[in-house]
Amino acid sequence: MKALVDLNIILDVLGRREPHYGASAEVWEAIEVGDVEGLIAAHSMTTAHYLITRHLDDKRAKIALLDILKVFSVAGVDQDVIQDAVGLGWSDFEDAVQMAAAARAGVDYLITRNPKDFKDGPIDVVQPGEFLALLRAPHE
């Protein structure tokens, strides 16, 4: 199974943000132990750096980014992804880029706490708890 993880899930874990930390941390762990192939969109890394440096110095922010890269692969954001995102016609372009990157990377799921932001996309969108239930379900 392969999933693109929205930045809000990663920030839940790094910042231990309640009440979301538990399920988000379980998703992170499933990826870290290899139960799932996890990706983060390339543009989410720049946003993560910006947000993390609001709370930590630049050196510690870069360590946090390297920690993310130890667990997650990066889904590319190139010209094709941008064109696909524009083609979705969504009002929130950043969400469209997430979805287009997920689709181009061939993931099975996009995991986010905001599934309503991604409706009508080409990839199934689930919240962390839903994803964990799918992961734990018996496979035939």
Side-chain angles (χ1 to χ4, degrees):
M1 193 179 301
K2 189 174 180 181
L4 186 132
V5 179
D6 195 5
L7 182 58
N8 57 30
I9 305 302
I10 291 168
L11 294 175
D12 287 344
V13 175
L14 294 176
R16 296 184 164 268
R17 299 191 306 193
E18 294 295 350
H20 311 291
Y21 172 75
S24 296
E26 285 186 57
V27 168
W28 180 300
E29 182 181 4
I31 294 165
E32 191 167 24
V33 300
D35 292 342
V36 179
E37 182 182 348
L39 291 91
I40 181 172
H43 72 290
S44 291
M45 293 299 289
T46 58
T47 303
H49 181 266
Y50 170 76
L51 294 172
I52 293 167
T53 57
R54 294 173 66 196
H55 303 282
L56 301 174
D57 62 47
D58 186 63
K59 181 179 178 184
R60 289 177 26 202
K62 287 181 177 157
I63 290 169
L65 293 180
L66 293 174
D67 288 343
I68 293 168
L69 293 175
K70 288 177 187 172
V71 177
F72 297 87
S73 298
V74 176
V77 174
D78 60 10
Q79 183 171 347
D80 292 333
V81 169
I82 298 300
Q83 288 175 332
D84 291 350
V86 170
L88 287 171
W90 294 359
S91 61
D92 187 324
F93 185 65
E94 192 276 333
D95 289 341
V97 174
Q98 288 276 47
M99 179 57 78
R104 285 275 175 177
V107 304
D108 303 298
Y109 297 98
L110 191 156
I111 307 170
T112 182
R113 281 194 290 103
N114 305 312
K116 67 183 181 327
D117 294 347
F118 297 93
K119 62 183 173 188
D120 302 324
I123 302 293
D124 288 333
V125 178
V126 294
Q127 295 186 53
E130 294 170 308
F131 181 76
L132 294 168
L134 289 166
L135 194 59
R136 294 176 183 138
H139 302 288
E140 296 179 12

